[in-house]
Amino acid sequence: MSGDNEETHTAEETSMDEKEIQDKVISPEKAEEAKLKSRYPNLGNKPGGSDLLRKRLQKGQKYFDSGDYNMAKAKIKNKQLPTAAPEKTEITGDHIPTPQDLPQRKPSLVASKLAG
Amino acid sequence: MAVVVVLKANDVQWCFSQVKGAIDDDVAEADIISTVEFNHSGELLATGDKGGRVVIFQQEPECKSQPQCRGEYNVYSTFQSHEPEFDYLKSLEIEEKINKIRWLPQQNAAQFLLSTNDKTIKLWKISERDKRPEGYNLKEEDGRYRDFNTVTTLRVPVFRPMDLMVEASPRRVFANAHTYHINSISVNSDCETYLSADDLRINLWNLEITDRSFNIVDIKPANMEELTEVITAAEFHPNQCNTFVYSSSKGTIRLCDMRASALCDKHSKLFEEPEDPNNRSFFSEIISSISDVKFSHSGRYMMTRDYLSVKIWDLNMESRPVETYQVHEYLRSKLCSLYENDCIFDKFECCWNGNDSVVMTGSYNNFFRMFDRGYRQDVTLEASRENSKPRSVLKPRKVSTGGKRKKDEISVDSLDFNKKILHTAWHPMDNIIAVATTNNLYIFQEKLN
């Protein structure tokens, strides 16, 4: 009896392996997808969906609230404002961003090298 | 009237002509080229970069001693078009990067172009000054005012020739009309209006009026959680002033007729290639996103570029493209790493040659591809300093996909994905092409015998 069960089990496994192999042969994309999912198991199933698009729409967002900044400056009259730790890339939460934290973007005063 | 000569693709050999830009490998971000565009005659070639600067090259008239050699392109004008800004209200950094340049057809002695960054479009006038008035009564030649008591005679100032000066001045600034990032601008064939498109909206402008624009497409959902697609590119039809198209991140193109209604949310035609549901993967939608759409010069066809292919659509057939060309199919089995290094989101552009017989687009490793529609031939060429001897013929390149790599072939794993050719342009009439690598501009010309 147990022998028969083992045989059935093996037969199922074989047919599943064949399907996987078929998938890989037919679609390199699916093989790449499997690779990605094995590296990032928490990846959602809707790649083109809201999250990705909204990230794209928010390009350029920095966090600076002049209200917070001025209020904090008023409260802490003589003390220094807490500055961000150097390794922080996003300035949010308890730390009050200062204009110095924002990277200064100045127009390039140098002429384009294409015109050189 | 220019005569367009139809040449057989297999007879056309491309030669290096010129390269512009710095040689060193250390590329400053500001020097990254972000757009390349010939004007309508092909005499002028404009580039925009990440630093907000525009450089315009002018073709030298053909030299009589060498009739076989078409004129070289030399610097004509350069100016700072856009500057970095910070929107304090929205905490948004606004890049000065020039996303697109579009020339207006020439109507008088001056040249006009539209240049845009993420938020603001500007109309620039480029004009020549080769005369200046001399002999003022009240001013010295250096500009200082004369003492009135010394003026005893009256004369009429005359214009005298001077060294050519090319001046660029901003004539119009079209601002504050886009909440999202502008990806396209397109001048209408009526030469009075133009459109600007961002991720969710398309606006129609009159070139004379800067304080008003009409919204003609709005795909913003009431609830942003329901957002499923964005606008990726838009263009006006080359001769039907009521027609424009816009492409999406889901691989569809919508054609709209402005005569149908004021708001063109409802398309007149929807171009979409049916997808095999069995082949659908995590990457399918990302690689189907259209990065560029261009009408043919004839107006009969349009071309779209997605991550792996170029498709030609007949405007009369919405169900599927009439031609599909694989740009770099070997990348399909590399999608996982291309997703990890963000290359899968690279936005390649594409362009037509003057008579719509050949199309061109860029790839990685500084390769670019040309597809001849009539002769069903394609070629891969490379823009590199190693092939930059004057008038040296470019040798076709090949990427080996199988196990065996032939001599002179390059394997997929050796490709440099940091060397991407996103922007290319084809002269409107001649076989002259401009190809932008990261920070260099290459000009290639057809070999003439």
Side-chain angles (χ1 to χ4, degrees), chain B residues 140-185:
Chain B
E140 302 286 1
E141 293 306 327
D142 60 8
R144 282 179 303 146
Y145 280 96
R146 292 165 79 181
D147 182 359
F148 295 166
N149 299 320
T150 64
V151 179
T152 54
T153 58
L154 200 62
R155 58 185 174 171
V156 177
V158 289
F159 276 94
R160 294 210 191 282
M162 60 179 256
D163 287 341
L164 179 68
M165 216 167 73
V166 182
E167 300 169 323
S169 59
R171 305 302 287 180
R172 305 269 188 280
V173 176
F174 304 92
N176 302 320
H178 286 279
T179 308
Y180 303 99
H181 300 111
I182 298 173
N183 52 56
S184 312
I185 46 174

Side-chain angles (χ1 to χ4, degrees), chain B residues 55-201:
Chain B
V55 182
I56 301 175
F57 302 92
Q58 182 189 42
Q59 190 179 30
E60 298 303 318
E62 279 177 28
C63 42
K64 302 214 164 75
S65 57
Q66 275 192 309
Q68 295 88 355
C69 180
R70 292 205 185 90
E72 278 199 345
Y73 283 84
N74 295 321
V75 179
Y76 179 65
S77 172
T78 176
F79 54 93
Q80 184 81 36
S81 172
H82 286 72
E83 295 187 352
E85 291 172 61
F86 195 88
D87 181 344
Y88 289 99
L89 186 66
K90 296 178 191 166
S91 279
L92 254 187
E93 189 173 72
I94 302 170
E95 268 194 302
E96 66 276 33
K97 173 167 78 88
I98 309 296
N99 292 336
K100 286 278 161 30
I101 287 173
R102 288 289 182 263
W103 291 92
L104 269 59
Q106 191 174 13
Q107 290 179 325
N108 52 39
Q111 299 278 357
F112 287 88
L113 61 78
L114 285 172
S115 71
T116 187
N117 69 349
D118 282 341
K119 297 286 180 181
T120 305
I121 307 125
K122 294 186 183 180
L123 177 69
W124 287 88
K125 176 180 180 182
I126 296 107
S127 47
E128 292 185 359
R129 192 194 290 266
D130 61 358
K131 295 183 271 291
R132 66 153 185 250
E134 283 176 25
Y136 282 106
N137 290 294
L138 301 176
K139 272 198 286 189
E140 302 286 1
E141 293 306 327
D142 60 8
R144 282 179 303 146
Y145 280 96
R146 292 165 79 181
D147 182 359
F148 295 166
N149 299 320
T150 64
V151 179
T152 54
T153 58
L154 200 62
R155 58 185 174 171
V156 177
V158 289
F159 276 94
R160 294 210 191 282
M162 60 179 256
D163 287 341
L164 179 68
M165 216 167 73
V166 182
E167 300 169 323
S169 59
R171 305 302 287 180
R172 305 269 188 280
V173 176
F174 304 92
N176 302 320
H178 286 279
T179 308
Y180 303 99
H181 300 111
I182 298 173
N183 52 56
S184 312
I185 46 174
S186 178
V187 184
N188 201 344
S189 51
D190 66 9
C191 297
E192 284 184 5
T193 57
Y194 75 94
L195 62 76
S196 57
D198 67 30
D199 292 315
L200 297 178
R201 299 192 178 101

Side-chain angles (χ1 to χ4, degrees), chain B residues 223-243:
Chain B
N223 181 359
M224 283 298 268
E225 306 267 321
E226 292 162 23
L227 181 68
T228 53
E229 68 182 322
V230 294
I231 297 169
T232 52
E235 196 180 49
F236 264 120
H237 191 277
N239 39 55
Q240 290 169 20
C241 58
N242 53 287
T243 304

Side-chain angles (χ1 to χ4, degrees), chain B residues 237-252:
Chain B
H237 191 277
N239 39 55
Q240 290 169 20
C241 58
N242 53 287
T243 304
F244 66 93
V245 292
Y246 68 93
S247 58
S248 86
S249 52
K250 274 185 156 176
T252 63

Side-chain angles (χ1 to χ4, degrees), chain A residues 26-30 32-37 39-40 43-50 52-65 102-103 105-116, chain B residues 20-22 31 47 49 51 53 55 57 75 80 83-84 86 90-93 95-96 118 180-181 199 224-225 227-230 278 280-285 287 332-336 339-340 345 347 439:
Chain A
I26 290 170
S27 173
E29 253 181 71
K30 290 213 167 130
E32 290 294 299
E33 179 177 5
K35 213 191 286 180
L36 191 70
K37 292 220 159 126
R39 289 186 202 175
Y40 308 98
L43 209 57
N45 270 323
K46 283 199 170 179
S50 305
L52 202 68
L53 291 177
R54 274 186 293 174
K55 193 173 131 187
R56 176 191 170 139
L57 295 182
Q58 275 176 359
K59 177 188 99 171
Q61 199 99 36
K62 296 274 188 287
Y63 297 95
F64 174 76
D65 188 318
L102 296 174
R105 304 275 353 272
K106 293 207 172 83
S108 53
L109 301 166
V110 183
S112 166
K113 295 199 178 106
L114 294 183
Chain B
K20 309 277 184 193
D31 292 325
T47 60
D49 65 21
R53 301 162 302 191
V55 182
F57 302 92
V75 179
Q80 184 81 36
E83 295 187 352
F86 195 88
K90 296 178 191 166
S91 279
L92 254 187
E93 189 173 72
E95 268 194 302
E96 66 276 33
D118 282 341
Y180 303 99
H181 300 111
D199 292 315
M224 283 298 268
E225 306 267 321
L227 181 68
T228 53
E229 68 182 322
V230 294
N278 292 329
R280 193 161 175 82
S281 78
F282 175 86
F283 302 110
S284 300
E285 194 174 301
I287 62 173
R332 200 180 287 271
S333 50
K334 301 284 171 196
L335 293 176
C336 180
Y339 180 87
E340 288 177 305
F345 301 106
K347 294 182 176 55
N439 65 327

Side-chain angles (χ1 to χ4, degrees), chain B residues 180-445:
Chain B
Y180 303 99
H181 300 111
I182 298 173
N183 52 56
S184 312
I185 46 174
S186 178
V187 184
N188 201 344
S189 51
D190 66 9
C191 297
E192 284 184 5
T193 57
Y194 75 94
L195 62 76
S196 57
D198 67 30
D199 292 315
L200 297 178
R201 299 192 178 101
I202 302 180
N203 293 330
L204 181 72
W205 302 84
N206 182 302
L207 284 162
E208 299 292 330
I209 298 167
T210 58
D211 62 357
R212 217 178 318 164
S213 81
F214 289 101
N215 176 245
I216 51 177
V217 173
D218 189 337
I219 64 167
K220 185 177 178 192
N223 181 359
M224 283 298 268
E225 306 267 321
E226 292 162 23
L227 181 68
T228 53
E229 68 182 322
V230 294
I231 297 169
T232 52
E235 196 180 49
F236 264 120
H237 191 277
N239 39 55
Q240 290 169 20
C241 58
N242 53 287
T243 304
F244 66 93
V245 292
Y246 68 93
S247 58
S248 86
S249 52
K250 274 185 156 176
T252 63
I253 309 103
R254 287 173 174 80
L255 184 141
C256 301
D257 186 335
M258 295 195 294
R259 297 170 302 188
S261 67
L263 191 59
C264 296
D265 280 0
K266 195 163 174 293
H267 54 261
S268 297
K269 292 192 184 186
L270 174 66
F271 297 83
E272 190 173 12
E273 184 165 24
E275 197 195 6
D276 180 1
N278 292 329
N279 279 338
R280 193 161 175 82
S281 78
F282 175 86
F283 302 110
S284 300
E285 194 174 301
I286 300 174
I287 62 173
S288 72
S289 176
I290 292 172
S291 49
D292 195 15
V293 65
K294 292 262 171 50
F295 277 105
S296 64
H297 292 92
S298 64
R300 165 96 194 265
Y301 299 96
M302 65 179 174
M303 163 167 55
T304 57
R305 175 69 155 99
D306 52 71
Y307 191 60
L308 297 179
S309 67
V310 160
K311 294 178 180 171
I312 312 281
W313 303 78
D314 183 326
L315 293 191
N316 297 318
M317 187 165 81
E318 301 165 62
S319 52
R320 62 177 190 281
V322 289
E323 293 152 40
T324 300
Y325 301 105
Q326 301 302 336
V327 181
H328 35 220
E329 179 67 13
Y330 46 78
L331 295 184
R332 200 180 287 271
S333 50
K334 301 284 171 196
L335 293 176
C336 180
S337 26
L338 292 168
Y339 180 87
E340 288 177 305
N341 62 20
D342 271 354
C343 283
I344 205 174
F345 301 106
D346 284 337
K347 294 182 176 55
F348 291 95
E349 292 172 8
C350 53
C351 59
W352 298 84
N353 74 339
N355 61 14
D356 300 334
S357 58
V358 185
V359 297
M360 170 167 66
T361 190
S363 178
Y364 295 105
N365 209 73
N366 283 347
F367 286 172
F368 58 100
R369 303 261 288 137
M370 286 184 189
F371 301 95
D372 186 303
R373 303 173 61 211
Y375 287 89
R376 292 281 158 174
Q377 289 176 336
D378 61 84
V379 69
T380 304
L381 300 172
E382 182 181 1
S384 85
R385 294 265 174 182
E386 280 147 24
N387 306 325
S388 55
K389 289 203 192 74
R391 289 185 291 284
S392 63
V393 175
L394 295 183
K395 213 173 72 162
R397 308 286 282 136
K398 195 142 163 48
V399 177
S400 75
T401 49
K404 285 187 181 166
R405 186 176 71 88
K406 291 187 194 144
K407 195 181 91 141
D408 285 351
E409 283 186 1
I410 182 165
S411 76
V412 183
D413 297 310
S414 308
L415 295 174
D416 189 340
F417 291 95
N418 290 319
K419 292 189 176 167
K420 23 194 137 190
I421 289 179
L422 303 173
H423 313 286
T424 59
W426 205 309
H427 189 286
M429 281 160 295
D430 298 334
N431 275 341
I432 302 173
I433 54 176
V435 174
T437 58
T438 306
N439 65 327
N440 284 174
L441 182 73
Y442 285 79
I443 299 171
F444 301 107
Q445 293 190 8

Side-chain angles (χ1 to χ4, degrees), chain A residues 48-105:
Chain A
S50 305
D51 291 341
L52 202 68
L53 291 177
R54 274 186 293 174
K55 193 173 131 187
R56 176 191 170 139
L57 295 182
Q58 275 176 359
K59 177 188 99 171
Q61 199 99 36
K62 296 274 188 287
Y63 297 95
F64 174 76
D65 188 318
S66 59
D68 280 348
Y69 174 66
N70 284 308
M71 294 271 287
K73 228 168 62 162
K75 281 182 190 165
I76 313 171
K77 282 176 192 172
N78 293 320
K79 291 180 202 164
Q80 277 282 84
L81 280 172
T83 51
E87 61 272 7
K88 269 196 185 173
T89 48
E90 257 182 48
I91 307 161
T92 56
D94 294 332
H95 164 65
I96 308 295
T98 63
Q100 291 91 310
D101 291 336
L102 296 174
Q104 287 299 319
R105 304 275 353 272

